[in-house]
Amino acid sequence: MSEDLTPETTTAQPLADRGSNRSQRPRSAEFVRFITSGWGERPSSTLERSPAAEHTAARRAALSAKFPGERLVVPAGTLKVRSNDTDFRFRPHSAFAHLTGLGVEQEPDAVLVLHPVEDGTGDDGSGHRAALYIRPLAGRDTEEFFSDSRSGEFWVGARPTLEDLETLTGIRTLHLDDLPDGLAKDVGEGGVQVRVVPDADEAIEELVEQIRATEAAGQRDDVLAEALSELRLVKDAYELEQMRLAVATTIEGFEKIVRSLPDAVAHRRGERVIEGTFLGHARQEGNAVGYETIAAAGEHATTLHWTDNDGQVRAGELVLVDAGVEVDSLYTADLTRTLPVDGTFTEVQRRVYQAVLDAADAGFAAAVPGARFRDVHSAAMQVIAERLAEWGLLPVTAEESLQPENQHHRRWMVHGTSHHLGLDVHDCAQARAELYLDGVLEPGMVFTIEPGLYFKSDDLLVPTEYRGIGVRIEDNVLVTADGNENLSAALPREPDAVEAWMAGLLGR
């Protein structure tokens, strides 16, 4: 190292400022004058009220009833660094999306606040009045317009105005600069208490902590997160419409996956061909994938969350694909199919597949109003244990294995059978166990049914013919007044139907 580059003689430029060294943006007064002048009128906004707005108002009113007299702070979140000074694509926090109806990449740094008012005088007769704080479109006479790579119009496009978002959401919309005063109003000893959604936006959490430093102790932000999660256990009409859209769009993606299988077999990383096919579809037809796609061929299918997707796809083997499209409203499907790569199941593959399908059907039979969520899993496990016992794989009877103190059958299916589904692929995750695992099923609940069997290639407790086979079948179910509806029924699941479907798509 030359002498002028030693630590003792390096430049005094702060480390945080050095990312701009690549920039050659002019800074002269004449440039600023010139770039901020000569612009025509912006076109009039064509935004209309979102179809979600009516439903989000009802959701906010339901939340209001749980926290009378308290200020509730729900941040959208902020951009997150992917590497150095490049960010991941923004996705708002699910609670923020649920209460505002804003999806896709709307609206980084925004904060929804439910301000307490005299009961009955708030929005829709509630005890709160909602306010949406955003950073609005900057004028073209400002430096932000051309120099701010994070929010400037020249860099990321025009942001919405306050009026735009108020029209879209039906929520009173204010400048983000007004947030500190709005949060601090009437806070203090014996005054308004403030709750903030934890882990959504660190800067907003710090601001709230500063404001309530003089407030009586005992704030419980986790209770707010819990309430927001439980608010989503039963979906409203708009949510069900979006779930149907997400499922239908995902099924279209599975069709494209089947058509891509010859290319996948020909490629050294065929799993990536499958993943890329679905990702492209999700971005074209929706917002993104709802979670990282699992494209697990052969032995990889025995790894529950295989997302490396760097393996080969070989004829004669199975490929387990677990994928879901997240539509623009941010609702996601979550489907899994295990497909014979060459379009035809072998006898052993079909045997394992049928066992898993029978377990899934038992789960569907249990998913009815009045049953408990855990009953779905129990029904599926009854079939899994019985089938493993028939095959001679259990060291005890199926009945003995099903006892809580045993559970031998779970060696080959260590995951649960179901999870709630919606804005998050694992929706309502902060709900209390008595409302989730032990919750009574109600019409409007949406969840997965996804049993599986996974026989690793080095599992010495199973016959050789089973080793390296992994099968999971996952559908999305809606509980109805008189039973349930398989939202993903259009995606074939019976083995004969799967083979016929694949043959049609592959032109065979």
Side-chain angles (χ1 to χ4, degrees), residues 240 367-370 441-445 478-485:
L240 295 180
V368 296
L441 299 185
E442 301 177 41
M445 288 183 169
L478 164 66
V479 179
T480 62
D482 57 358
N484 62 62
E485 175 189 351

Tab-separated table of all heavy atoms in Angstrom, residues 240 367-370 441-445 478-485:
chain	number	residue	atom	x	y	z
A	240	LEU	N	-61.902	-12.031	0.098
A	240	LEU	CA	-62.167	-13.303	-0.578
A	240	LEU	C	-62.059	-13.146	-2.091
A	240	LEU	O	-61.562	-14.049	-2.778
A	240	LEU	CB	-63.549	-13.821	-0.190
A	240	LEU	CG	-63.714	-14.205	1.283
A	240	LEU	CD1	-65.132	-14.697	1.544
A	240	LEU	CD2	-62.698	-15.263	1.698
A	367	ALA	N	-62.598	-29.768	7.885
A	367	ALA	CA	-62.552	-28.298	7.855
A	367	ALA	C	-63.946	-27.724	7.675
A	367	ALA	O	-64.297	-27.185	6.621
A	367	ALA	CB	-61.617	-27.839	6.738
A	368	VAL	N	-64.755	-27.802	8.711
A	368	VAL	CA	-66.146	-27.355	8.646
A	368	VAL	C	-66.431	-26.432	9.823
A	368	VAL	O	-65.753	-26.495	10.854
A	368	VAL	CB	-67.108	-28.559	8.648
A	368	VAL	CG1	-66.906	-29.420	7.405
A	368	VAL	CG2	-66.918	-29.396	9.920
A	369	PRO	N	-67.428	-25.569	9.676
A	369	PRO	CA	-67.754	-24.660	10.788
A	369	PRO	C	-68.035	-25.439	12.072
A	369	PRO	O	-68.678	-26.487	12.063
A	369	PRO	CB	-69.013	-23.948	10.292
A	369	PRO	CG	-68.974	-24.058	8.811
A	369	PRO	CD	-68.322	-25.375	8.524
A	370	GLY	N	-67.526	-24.900	13.179
A	370	GLY	CA	-67.724	-25.538	14.470
A	370	GLY	C	-66.591	-26.453	14.882
A	370	GLY	O	-66.407	-26.721	16.083
A	441	LEU	N	-63.549	-22.991	13.797
A	441	LEU	CA	-63.617	-22.581	12.399
A	441	LEU	C	-64.931	-21.849	12.122
A	441	LEU	O	-66.001	-22.274	12.548
A	441	LEU	CB	-63.499	-23.796	11.483
A	441	LEU	CG	-62.191	-24.593	11.591
A	441	LEU	CD1	-62.151	-25.689	10.538
A	441	LEU	CD2	-60.979	-23.679	11.461
A	442	GLU	N	-64.797	-20.723	11.382
A	442	GLU	CA	-65.948	-19.894	11.038
A	442	GLU	C	-65.973	-19.653	9.535
A	442	GLU	O	-64.922	-19.618	8.888
A	442	GLU	CB	-65.860	-18.528	11.724
A	442	GLU	CG	-65.798	-18.531	13.218
A	442	GLU	CD	-65.649	-17.110	13.743
A	442	GLU	OE1	-66.311	-16.196	13.198
A	442	GLU	OE2	-64.856	-16.911	14.685
A	443	PRO	N	-67.152	-19.439	8.964
A	443	PRO	CA	-67.217	-19.058	7.555
A	443	PRO	C	-66.394	-17.789	7.313
A	443	PRO	O	-66.448	-16.841	8.085
A	443	PRO	CB	-68.714	-18.806	7.332
A	443	PRO	CG	-69.395	-19.665	8.345
A	443	PRO	CD	-68.502	-19.624	9.558
A	444	GLY	N	-65.645	-17.805	6.218
A	444	GLY	CA	-64.780	-16.678	5.894
A	444	GLY	C	-63.329	-16.911	6.236
A	444	GLY	O	-62.464	-16.127	5.825
A	445	MET	N	-63.020	-17.958	6.969
A	445	MET	CA	-61.618	-18.290	7.242
A	445	MET	C	-61.009	-18.942	6.008
A	445	MET	O	-61.655	-19.759	5.340
A	445	MET	CB	-61.491	-19.221	8.442
A	445	MET	CG	-61.768	-18.558	9.762
A	445	MET	SD	-61.501	-19.695	11.155
A	445	MET	CE	-61.572	-18.554	12.533
A	478	LEU	N	-61.552	-22.383	1.791
A	478	LEU	CA	-62.417	-21.369	2.393
A	478	LEU	C	-63.507	-22.082	3.184
A	478	LEU	O	-64.232	-22.923	2.633
A	478	LEU	CB	-63.042	-20.495	1.304
A	478	LEU	CG	-64.250	-19.635	1.699
A	478	LEU	CD1	-63.840	-18.562	2.709
A	478	LEU	CD2	-64.892	-18.993	0.471
A	479	VAL	N	-63.627	-21.744	4.452
A	479	VAL	CA	-64.724	-22.293	5.252
A	479	VAL	C	-66.005	-21.555	4.872
A	479	VAL	O	-66.038	-20.322	4.823
A	479	VAL	CB	-64.436	-22.141	6.758
A	479	VAL	CG1	-65.604	-22.696	7.581
A	479	VAL	CG2	-63.142	-22.860	7.133
A	480	THR	N	-67.047	-22.317	4.589
A	480	THR	CA	-68.341	-21.759	4.202
A	480	THR	C	-69.381	-22.105	5.261
A	480	THR	O	-69.107	-22.848	6.215
A	480	THR	CB	-68.784	-22.299	2.837
A	480	THR	OG1	-68.934	-23.729	2.927
A	480	THR	CG2	-67.754	-21.976	1.766
A	481	ALA	N	-70.581	-21.567	5.087
A	481	ALA	CA	-71.629	-21.785	6.082
A	481	ALA	C	-71.985	-23.257	6.240
A	481	ALA	O	-72.361	-23.709	7.330
A	481	ALA	CB	-72.874	-20.986	5.710
A	482	ASP	N	-71.861	-24.031	5.152
A	482	ASP	CA	-72.267	-25.432	5.203
A	482	ASP	C	-71.123	-26.409	4.961
A	482	ASP	O	-71.345	-27.577	4.658
A	482	ASP	CB	-73.384	-25.693	4.195
A	482	ASP	CG	-72.993	-25.310	2.768
A	482	ASP	OD1	-71.866	-24.800	2.589
A	482	ASP	OD2	-73.804	-25.515	1.852
A	483	GLY	N	-69.883	-25.945	5.058
A	483	GLY	CA	-68.740	-26.839	4.856
A	483	GLY	C	-67.520	-26.070	4.459
A	483	GLY	O	-67.028	-25.229	5.209
A	484	ASN	N	-67.002	-26.349	3.259
A	484	ASN	CA	-65.835	-25.614	2.782
A	484	ASN	C	-65.790	-25.647	1.263
A	484	ASN	O	-66.494	-26.435	0.623
A	484	ASN	CB	-64.532	-26.169	3.379
A	484	ASN	CG	-64.264	-27.613	2.988
A	484	ASN	OD1	-64.107	-27.935	1.805
A	484	ASN	ND2	-64.211	-28.500	3.976
A	485	GLU	N	-64.954	-24.790	0.722
A	485	GLU	CA	-64.733	-24.730	-0.723
A	485	GLU	C	-63.238	-24.807	-0.981
A	485	GLU	O	-62.460	-24.043	-0.372
A	485	GLU	CB	-65.293	-23.424	-1.290
A	485	GLU	CG	-65.006	-23.225	-2.771
A	485	GLU	CD	-65.379	-21.838	-3.267
A	485	GLU	OE1	-66.024	-21.073	-2.514
A	485	GLU	OE2	-65.003	-21.510	-4.417
